[in-house]
């Protein structure tokens, strides 16, 4: 792919668009934009970082980049785990961090109109003041942006009851590489007119357009929240328990898994012994509702199911400080695993909920076959398990071979169970070589065709999802 370099005359024109202080050209300033949170991915230095603060600036940058054939990579909080925001071909790194205003909180319609750089956490806190709730809560919520959430169609721990980002986007505004603005939807709950434009941009990983405004649906804030931590020694019982809870129409917000390796690593990282840390795994079950009695009756029924399925105990966290401790431990998992295993590889496969036990058994076989450890945690209630393969004592040369074989076999196992290679982190850069495992040639050709219509000169986040 031949792209033009960002020379002095282009820098001058870009400075005229966004203002000199919103242009970074020095390596030390650009370094933090050369990577996201993807494990073991080398750095890709952008030639220039731009920080626009409105749609017109985004439009003018895109028009210039399109005309000059300069690659341009949109970036929100840079918390992505598939290399989506990494500027593979250098060029312009378009950081949406300054477009971070909550433009409107419409209480009557229960809608928030947002610039893309608003962080998920800020949105959560702001709407709570009005007794409203934005339920999509990725563990990265304090750093990831709503624009990045839309571009990845992110999920979170509350997905069992409340769904994921795509269930909340009612309106979008985006700028195409040609500079044209695309608007669809609005503060409306139903749309059989132009929702296809929203659908196509959800999960498009910054490859089709730059999202500049999002209208999100909100829901009333539940008044009562309770979390349960349930240790198990029998994984069959644990998986059966999760299924039975849902099949008994007890709809928790959250059903998360933490296996023993994850629990131990978190405990060590946080320097505190977590209860029942020798158990084979823990379930974290979150519940909410509007009446205390209603939630109490739900957790009693769930507790009975858990004990019936072999739980070692059921810990109940009813007050905010105790619930916050659980959330803190959940949020620290990725960081804790990275801290002790800097060379591991992360995956976020998804299988039908009923196949999670077969998946775990298959992973245990892979672990024995390759003599590697797998940490398993995450969104069990959605069948979306994060599987991190740890290098431990394997030397670097052997690790490269073992890693690629183990990932390939993990994906084959997942697919054989009716699953897919990513549930929420996207394909980005690191999973594109596996795309043909889950997509036919026809599907990939159709996606390439769509890309060509949106981005005829392939300037927007080139080299992501597939090679164009
Ligand atoms: C500790 C940790 C925990 C995590 N937990 C979760 C989790 O629970 N659930 C989950 O789904 N993910 C999780 N993630 C992954 C990540 O946080 C999400 O993918 C998130 O949506 C990325 O948002 P971001 O703003 O950081 O986007 P970035 O990483 O900056 O970008 C991600 C992609 O979106 C594109 N993009 C960003 N902004 C725009 C825009 N305005 N217009 C067009 N394209 C854009 C980029 O080009 C890139 O392809 C976690 C990551 C970490 C590090």
């Amino acid at each position: 792919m031949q792209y033009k370099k960002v020379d002095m005359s282009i820098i001058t024109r870009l400075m005229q668009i966004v203002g000199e202080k919103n242009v970074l050209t020095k390596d030390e300033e650009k370094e933090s934009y050369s990577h996201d949170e993807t494990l073991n991915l080398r750095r890709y230095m952008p030639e220039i970082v731009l920080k626009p603060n409105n749609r017109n600036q985004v439009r003018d940058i895109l028009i210039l980049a399109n005309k000059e054939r300069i690659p341009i990579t949109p970036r929100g909080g840079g918390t992505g785990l598939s290399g989506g925001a990494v500027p593979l071909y250098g060029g312009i790194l378009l950081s949406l961090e300054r477009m971070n205003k909550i433009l409107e909180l419409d209480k009557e319609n229960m809608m928030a109109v947002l610039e893309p750089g608003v962080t998920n956490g800020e949105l959560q806190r702001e709407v709570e003041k009005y007794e409203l709730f934005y339920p999509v809560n990725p563990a990265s919520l304090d750093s990831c942006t709503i624009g990045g959430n839309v571009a990845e169609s992110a999920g979170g721990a509350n997905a069992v009851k409340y769904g994921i980002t795509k269930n909340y986007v009612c309106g979008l505004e985006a700028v195409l590489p040609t500079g044209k603005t695309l608007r669809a939807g609005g503060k409306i709950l139903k749309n059989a007119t132009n929702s296809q434009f929203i659908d196509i941009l959800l999960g498009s990983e910054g490859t089709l357009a730059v999202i500049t405004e999002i209208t999100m649906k909100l829901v009333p804030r539940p008044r009562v929240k309770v979390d349960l931590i349930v240790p198990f020694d029998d994984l069959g019982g644990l998986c059966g328990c999760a299924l039975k809870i849902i099949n008994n129409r007890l709809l928790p917000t959250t059903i998360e898994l933490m296996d023993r390796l994850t629990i131990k690593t978190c405990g060590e990282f946080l320097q505190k012994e977590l209860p029942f840390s020798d158990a084979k795994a823990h379930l974290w079950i979150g519940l909410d509702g509007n009446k205390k009695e209603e939630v109490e009756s739900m957790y009693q029924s769930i507790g009975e199911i858990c004990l019936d399925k072999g739980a070692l105990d059921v810990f109940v966290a009813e007050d905010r400080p105790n619930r916050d401790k659980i959330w803190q431990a959940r949020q620290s998992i990725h960081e804790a695993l990275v801290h002790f295993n800097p060379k591991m590889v992360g995956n976020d496969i998804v299988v039908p909920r009923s196949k999670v036990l077969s998946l775990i058994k298959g992973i245990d076989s892979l672990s024995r076959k390759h003599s590697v450890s797998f940490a398993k945690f995450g969104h069990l209630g959605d069948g979306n398990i994060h599987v991190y393969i740890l290098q431990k004592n394997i030397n670097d040369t052997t690790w490269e071979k073992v890693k690629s074989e183990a990932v390939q076999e993990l994906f084959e196992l997942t697919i054989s169970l009716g699953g897919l290679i990513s549930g929420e982190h996207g394909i980005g850069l690191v999973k594109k070589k596996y795309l043909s495992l889950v997509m036919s040639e026809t599907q990939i050709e159709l996606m390439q065709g769509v890309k060509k219509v949106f981005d005829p000169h392939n300037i927007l986040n080139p080299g992501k999802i597939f090679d164009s």
Side-chain angles (χ1 to χ4, degrees):
M1 225 162 302
Q2 278 295 81
Y3 289 111
K4 184 164 175 177
K5 290 279 161 208
V6 179
D7 59 23
M8 258 332 283
S9 96
I10 287 171
I11 295 176
T12 309
R13 283 150 70 197
L14 290 169
M15 280 177 172
Q16 281 161 2
I17 297 173
V18 289
E20 204 173 324
K21 67 177 192 306
N22 300 308
V23 174
L24 309 181
T25 52
K26 296 195 184 97
D27 278 0
E28 62 271 24
E29 296 169 334
K30 295 184 297 178
E31 204 284 330
S32 57
Y33 298 88
S34 67
H35 62 90
D36 58 8
E37 292 298 322
T38 308
L39 301 166
N40 279 310
L41 187 61
R42 58 157 276 223
R43 270 129 168 82
Y44 291 89
M45 190 65 98
E47 288 160 67
I48 191 165
V49 175
L50 304 177
K51 302 183 188 182
N53 79 344
N54 61 54
R55 181 197 352 110
N56 289 348
Q57 291 183 357
V58 171
R59 178 201 59 201
D60 293 349
I61 294 165
L62 282 164
I63 290 172
L64 191 153
N66 199 37
K67 184 162 173 272
E68 300 290 348
R69 309 286 194 264
I70 297 169
I72 178 159
T73 308
R75 178 183 174 102
T79 66
L81 291 172
S82 57
V86 163
L88 184 60
Y89 295 101
I92 298 170
L93 189 296
L94 187 73
S95 171
L96 282 310
E97 67 197 273
R98 290 176 66 233
M99 292 180 65
N100 60 357
K101 287 187 275 308
I102 297 181
L103 298 171
E104 192 186 349
L105 272 185
D106 179 341
K107 285 154 251 160
E108 203 172 15
N109 287 303
M110 293 199 204
M111 294 275 173
V113 184
L114 309 161
E115 288 189 331
V118 173
T119 65
N120 180 300
E122 194 197 342
L123 175 62
Q124 309 257 352
R125 286 186 292 277
E126 204 48 39
V127 302
E128 217 181 286
K129 293 180 192 161
Y130 302 94
E131 290 295 307
L132 292 168
F133 184 40
Y134 178 63
V136 183
N137 59 340
S140 53
L141 59 81
D142 290 318
S143 317
C144 67
T145 64
I146 294 297
N149 290 174
V150 173
E152 295 288 355
S153 196
N158 288 329
V160 180
K161 178 170 177 180
Y162 289 105
I164 59 172
T165 307
K166 76 167 180 194
N167 305 114
Y168 292 86
V169 180
C170 295
L172 273 187
E173 175 195 89
V175 185
L176 305 179
T178 52
K180 290 194 177 127
T181 301
L182 180 67
R183 286 192 191 86
K187 290 187 203 168
I188 45 175
L189 290 165
K190 287 173 125 183
N191 181 349
T193 309
N194 60 18
S195 63
Q196 62 273 34
F197 296 113
I198 298 176
D199 294 339
I200 210 161
L201 292 180
L202 271 157
S204 61
E205 303 190 27
T207 61
L208 299 180
V210 178
I211 297 157
T212 46
E213 193 181 293
I214 304 116
T215 304
M216 283 288 191
K217 178 175 82 169
L218 306 169
V219 296
R221 188 169 83 91
R223 302 240 154 86
V224 186
K225 293 189 183 184
V226 171
D227 289 308
L228 311 178
I229 291 291
V230 192
F232 279 86
D233 263 344
D234 168 29
L235 289 175
L238 177 146
C239 292
C241 176
L243 279 178
K244 189 158 182 198
I245 291 168
I246 292 171
N247 291 339
N248 276 18
R249 298 173 183 212
L250 295 158
L251 191 57
T253 57
T254 306
I255 305 183
E256 296 267 312
L257 167 78
M258 268 174 100
D259 74 354
R260 185 190 287 146
L261 182 53
T262 310
I263 300 165
K264 291 269 181 210
T265 311
C266 271
E268 223 174 302
F269 181 71
L270 297 170
Q271 297 190 330
K272 50 176 114 146
E273 175 83 1
L274 302 177
F276 278 93
S277 60
D278 284 325
K280 215 160 194 180
H282 288 180
L283 272 188
W284 163 32
I285 302 170
L287 306 167
D288 71 5
N290 283 322
K291 295 205 177 101
K292 197 161 181 268
E293 314 81 68
E294 172 200 330
V295 177
E296 265 172 13
S297 129
M298 209 179 354
Y299 79 63
Q300 267 155 15
S301 306
I302 289 179
E304 280 163 25
I305 294 175
C306 293
L307 293 171
D308 183 52
K309 290 283 179 187
L312 303 172
D313 210 333
V314 178
F315 294 93
V316 183
E318 289 182 278
D319 54 26
R320 186 115 195 203
N322 277 319
R323 289 187 24 249
D324 284 350
K325 275 188 210 152
I326 296 174
W327 179 235
Q328 189 203 358
R330 171 62 183 91
Q331 271 195 306
S332 72
I333 295 178
H334 175 83
E335 205 184 341
L337 287 165
V338 175
H339 180 81
F340 293 109
N341 308 279
K343 291 211 176 149
M344 68 185 174
V345 53
N347 296 285
D348 88 304
I349 51 182
V350 59
V351 294
R353 214 186 261 144
S354 61
K355 299 287 185 192
V356 171
L357 183 59
S358 309
L359 177 73
I360 291 175
K361 285 182 178 164
I363 292 172
D364 288 345
S365 305
L366 289 180
S367 170
R368 285 190 294 275
K369 178 178 169 194
H370 294 288
S371 304
V372 282
S373 304
F374 289 72
K376 303 174 284 297
F377 66 95
H379 317 301
L380 173 71
D382 317 320
N384 180 201
I385 308 294
H386 299 323
V387 181
Y388 285 18
I389 311 175
L390 315 185
Q391 181 181 11
K392 295 279 182 199
N393 302 324
I394 302 175
N395 70 49
D396 283 356
T397 326
T398 315
W399 172 237
E400 284 310 311
K401 184 171 174 291
V402 167
K403 186 174 72 177
S404 69
E405 282 175 11
V407 171
Q408 174 82 22
E409 289 170 33
L410 174 67
F411 287 167
E412 284 166 6
L413 167 69
T414 304
I415 293 160
S416 75
L417 295 169
L420 292 171
I421 60 176
S422 173
E424 57 183 19
H425 297 162
I427 301 299
L429 179 58
V430 292
K431 283 185 220 114
K432 71 175 177 179
K433 67 176 170 191
Y434 302 104
L435 198 64
S436 59
L437 292 176
V438 281
M439 283 209 199
S440 66
E441 228 171 86
T442 310
Q443 283 174 313
I444 296 175
E445 273 168 23
L446 282 170
M447 285 171 61
Q448 286 167 331
V450 170
K451 168 76 174 164
K452 238 193 162 71
V453 172
F454 274 75
D455 182 16
H457 300 305
N458 194 24
I459 57 147
L460 201 54
N461 215 357
K464 304 297 169 60
I465 309 180
F466 46 75
D467 290 313
S468 319

